[in-house]
Amino acid sequence: MRNKEGLPVTDNSQNGGSQNNGVSFGRDADTQPGKGPFIPKSPNEALRPERVPQPPRRSRKARSQVVIFFNFLMTMAVFVCVVAVAGFFYVMDSYQKPGPLAANSNFVVRSGAGLAEIANNLERNGIVSDARIYRYVTTTYLQDGQTLKAGEYEIKAGSSMKEITALLESGKSILYSVSFPEGLTVKQMFQRLAADTVLEGDLPAELPPEGSLRPDTYKFTRGTNRAEIVTQMRAAQERLIDQIWEKRDPDLPIDTKEEFVTLASIVEKETGKDDERAHVASVFINRLNKGMRLQSDPTIIYGLFGGDGKPADRPIFQSDIRKETPYNTYVIKGLPPGPIANPGRAALEAVAHPWKTEDLYFVADGSGGHAFAATLQEHNANVRRWRKIEAERAQTPPATLDVDPEVDPTANN
């Protein structure tokens, strides 16, 4: 037999051979098992490209627009999450890593400044790298009730945004101070406040009463108003006076707190030695009890020059001693009408608890202290000794205002 291409084919069924029962032999036996007998291809058929089987058609459910849309949403959600996580770690790393500041720097947060203003100023001054990161993270960092407080702060070199926030939230700003030694007048204290360049604002137009400001050191932050310091000083002095006045000795010849402060101001101006104040106070208490004039030098000066104080180049003349002023205790009897300075705690304590002595006089002893005496005779001897010391120093002795040797201060005229 011949096939359709004209090639001879052996018919096994006719020649008594066995049938292959549909089993292929040769190359097709491996590639097409169970496909029937091997049928050779013509050269043209062998060179003709075989048809590639089409992929299976997608189901209608897979081709649905809703499914496609939700697949898109899922993809975008995953993308956004990845970006958000990456952004979060970047922002938090920027907030916590060392900042760009190369050297310690002072930074001022003005009163009433908002977070946006603070953040922009921090970036403008090269303290943080990104104002937006600082602003947004700080907003979440601060808990309810926490704020960035006004003041001047020292920012350390390389401080992170987190460290800066903790510092500004703590309120631990740079503190300045202004000091007032004991014995200054109100006007002299105001002059110090006016000269301080860190303080701001005007002083009260009206001077507080003499003796109403407490001598002390006051700390404040940049931008503090001068009037605030005055308010603190008055409140502190009032508390101090009340506290000491309540515990005073019961037999003092002083009836009011005003008289108490007045005598303390005289003691303050008479001596700067802590161990002498109570002794000086006892002299004045003894004189008040005996009806003697106090004859205190500083009262003459205050009567002449008031709160401005005596000019350094202006000597005290003998005529000044007898000049009538409301404060001159060489002329008036008893206490002057008000304090002559602002006394400190030590002077107030000395008047509230004076030593128990019989002394009525004191004069400088040449060592920075005073020599005390109970009688005029002893006092005159102390005065002569003081004048001798002054003469040996080849200096013109200042007028001794305590008492002249020839004058008896017990006289009532």
Side-chain angles (χ1 to χ4, degrees):
M1 293 180 58
R2 294 182 180 269
N3 63 10
K4 58 183 178 180
E5 284 81 10
L7 297 177
V9 177
T10 303
D11 186 356
N12 292 330
S13 60
Q14 295 179 359
N15 295 328
S18 62
Q19 295 182 356
N20 57 16
N21 296 324
V23 178
S24 300
F25 298 95
R27 184 175 59 184
D28 286 345
D30 296 331
T31 59
Q32 297 180 358
K35 294 296 183 177
F38 167 71
I39 302 176
K41 295 181 179 181
S42 67
N44 289 335
E45 289 180 335
L47 293 176
R48 186 181 303 156
E50 297 182 357
R51 180 177 297 175
V52 178
Q54 294 294 326
R57 292 179 60 84
R58 299 174 63 185
S59 66
R60 286 189 177 182
K61 184 176 181 181
R63 295 196 306 270
S64 170
Q65 295 297 320
V66 175
V67 174
I68 294 173
F69 176 72
F70 278 106
N71 286 340
F72 172 76
L73 289 182
M74 290 293 294
T75 302
M76 290 302 299
V78 172
F79 176 77
V80 169
C81 289
V82 171
V83 172
V85 170
F88 173 79
F89 281 104
Y90 170 78
V91 168
M92 296 307 298
D93 178 68
S94 300
Y95 195 77
Q96 298 181 29
K97 72 180 182 181
L101 191 62
N104 293 359
S105 177
N106 290 357
F107 179 74
V108 177
V109 178
R110 71 171 185 85
S111 179
L115 183 56
E117 177 183 336
I118 296 172
N120 291 332
N121 288 338
L122 285 170
E123 182 179 10
R124 189 177 300 114
N125 286 275
I127 299 175
V128 302
S129 57
D130 193 310
R132 290 172 299 179
I133 291 178
Y134 181 81
R135 176 183 177 184
Y136 297 134
V137 178
T138 300
T139 300
T140 61
Y141 179 82
L142 295 175
Q143 299 177 1
D144 293 340
Q146 290 182 320
T147 58
L148 303 185
K149 299 174 178 61
E152 182 179 12
Y153 299 87
E154 182 183 16
I155 309 296
K156 302 295 184 182
S159 294
S160 67
M161 296 183 191
K162 182 178 181 180
E163 292 170 337
I164 294 170
T165 300
L167 176 63
L168 302 188
E169 190 275 330
S170 71
K172 297 178 180 178
S173 56
I174 298 174
L175 294 179
Y176 297 88
S177 64
V178 57
S179 297
F180 304 96
E182 294 85 349
L184 292 181
T185 66
V186 168
K187 185 174 288 187
Q188 290 168 338
M189 287 182 167
F190 268 42
Q191 291 170 352
R192 290 200 174 202
L193 287 172
D196 194 290
T197 57
V198 180
L199 290 169
E200 296 180 357
D202 297 327
L203 288 162
E206 183 178 351
L207 290 175
E210 197 71 78
S212 64
L213 303 183
R214 180 173 179 177
D216 205 344
T217 296
Y218 296 86
K219 296 185 179 298
F220 58 91
T221 59
R222 181 179 293 276
T224 299
N225 195 285
R226 291 180 174 86
E228 295 179 27
I229 302 296
V230 175
T231 300
Q232 292 180 39
M233 296 170 71
R234 293 195 67 170
Q237 186 74 332
E238 184 177 355
R239 289 193 301 269
L240 179 63
I241 292 170
D242 289 343
Q243 172 189 350
I244 298 175
W245 174 253
E246 290 176 359
K247 299 178 181 179
R248 71 191 184 280
D249 290 351
D251 57 347
L252 297 178
I254 299 172
D255 298 326
T256 65
K257 285 190 289 187
E258 289 71 21
E259 292 179 345
F260 170 61
V261 177
T262 297
L263 183 53
S265 71
I266 296 174
V267 172
E268 188 71 78
K269 296 296 290 185
E270 282 286 3
T271 180
K273 296 188 68 175
D274 291 339
D275 59 351
E276 275 194 352
R277 288 192 176 97
H279 200 167
V280 170
S282 74
V283 171
F284 291 130
I285 293 295
N286 292 339
R287 288 197 172 202
L288 288 173
N289 284 329
K290 291 179 177 293
M292 297 169 60
R293 292 185 176 89
L294 296 185
Q295 292 187 321
S296 170
D297 304 5
T299 63
I300 297 176
I301 296 172
Y302 193 86
L304 293 173
F305 305 103
D308 292 320
K310 183 181 77 67
D313 57 350
R314 177 19 170 114
I316 296 298
F317 303 110
Q318 193 71 23
S319 60
D320 294 332
I321 300 175
R322 293 174 173 83
K323 186 169 294 185
E324 293 188 7
T325 71
Y327 288 87
N328 187 353
T329 55
Y330 277 82
V331 177
I332 67 171
K333 295 179 181 180
L335 292 167
I340 63 173
N342 292 282
R345 174 185 287 274
L348 291 166
E349 292 279 8
V351 173
H353 309 286
W355 285 5
K356 304 301 181 182
T357 72
E358 299 296 328
D359 294 331
L360 296 172
Y361 312 92
F362 60 89
V363 69
D365 63 1
S367 66
H370 293 85
F372 295 85
T375 66
L376 179 59
Q377 183 179 3
E378 293 174 337
H379 176 62
N380 287 341
N382 291 335
V383 171
R384 286 192 293 270
R385 188 179 301 110
W386 162 242
R387 287 179 174 175
K388 182 180 178 181
I389 293 173
E390 286 293 295
E392 291 173 351
R393 292 176 178 174
Q395 296 178 356
T396 301
T400 253
L401 305 184
D402 302 84
V403 67
D404 286 332
E406 298 82 9
V407 179
D408 184 354
T410 62
N412 290 327
N413 53 6

